[in-house]
């Protein structure tokens, strides 16, 4: 039996993301608009505002304990009220985890965390995780990306999708 810690804020983000996905419909019955522009308008409406979300931080692995520190930021052009970042691992997490506020376990190897508000050209809340692995491993690949961004479009995903190889040395690896 797996024990999953659930935080209210992270669950709210998951529910909102699901509603956004389920509520998206095509554009129909738009008078005076050509089929091409109606399609473009529908796509723009589904995309929402544009924001360039980026993650910077570091990870370290020591004796089956993985430390992850992330600072989300937004380079605009629009502010975001919230986003959800995802941390995926190449090794299984221990059954019990003490997670930071606004974070929730999303699977055997996955944790999601709210970023908080991301102002234009500003930073969200700093996120610190101490994750226990099911068993000690010599290395772990940590993948960090955006799981939900409030419906915004992000043309530059290179700064919010990271893969970091952390060796079991206690050294910090920056991204």
């Amino acid at each position: 039996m797996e024990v999953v810690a659930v935080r209210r804020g992270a669950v709210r983000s998951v529910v909102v993301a699901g509603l956004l996905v389920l509520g998206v419909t095509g554009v129909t019955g738009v008078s005076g608009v050509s089929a091409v522009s109606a399609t473009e308008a529908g796509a723009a409406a589904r995309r929402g505002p544009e924001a360039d979300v980026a993650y910077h931080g570091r990870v370290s692995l020591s004796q089956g304990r993985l430390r992850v520190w992330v600072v989300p930021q937004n380079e605009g052009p629009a502010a975001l009220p919230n986003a959800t970042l995802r941390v995926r691992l190449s090794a299984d997490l221990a059954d019990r985890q003490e997670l930071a506020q606004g974070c929730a376990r999303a699977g055997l190897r996955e944790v999601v965390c709210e970023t908080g508000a991301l102002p234009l050209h500003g930073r969200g809340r700093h996120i610190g995780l101490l994750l226990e692995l099911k068993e000690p491993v010599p290395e772990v690949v940590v993948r960090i990306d955006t799981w939900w961004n409030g419906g915004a479009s992000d043309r530059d995903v290179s700064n919010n999708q990271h893969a970091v190889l952390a060796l079991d040395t206690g050294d910090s690896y920056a991204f």
Side-chain angles (χ1 to χ4, degrees), residues 3-166:
V3 176
V4 178
V6 177
R7 303 285 185 197
R8 184 174 300 149
V11 171
R12 181 179 61 239
S13 293
V14 171
V15 170
V16 170
L19 290 174
L20 288 172
V21 170
L22 294 174
V24 173
T25 60
V27 176
T28 59
V30 179
S31 61
V33 180
S34 71
V36 172
S37 63
T39 302
E40 290 170 359
R46 286 189 295 269
R47 276 196 309 264
E50 182 178 341
D52 184 14
V53 177
Y55 302 116
H56 303 286
R58 53 185 189 268
V59 299
S60 69
L61 176 64
S62 179
Q63 300 173 350
R65 289 192 175 125
L66 180 70
R67 286 181 167 77
V68 180
W69 183 72
V70 181
V71 179
Q73 65 184 56
N74 177 13
E75 292 304 322
L80 290 177
N82 200 358
T84 305
L85 77 91
R86 174 174 55 177
V87 178
R88 294 178 292 159
L89 310 176
S90 63
D92 288 347
L93 291 164
D95 291 337
R96 294 182 181 257
Q97 298 289 327
E98 291 284 331
L99 297 174
Q101 182 177 353
C103 295
R105 189 156 175 185
L108 293 174
R109 299 178 173 191
E110 219 172 297
V111 173
V112 293
C113 296
E114 281 186 308
T115 63
L118 292 171
L120 177 61
H121 301 296
R123 295 180 174 176
R125 69 182 186 95
H126 294 207
I127 299 165
L129 298 169
L130 176 57
L131 301 172
E132 300 283 338
L133 300 180
K134 190 166 216 124
E135 55 189 49
V137 294
E139 64 187 30
V140 65
V141 176
V142 181
R143 296 185 194 294
I144 296 168
D145 61 7
T146 300
W147 193 55
W148 177 74
N149 65 359
S153 63
D154 189 341
R155 294 183 195 184
D156 181 13
V157 295
S158 67
N159 57 5
N160 65 7
Q161 294 179 349
H162 303 284
V164 182
L165 175 64

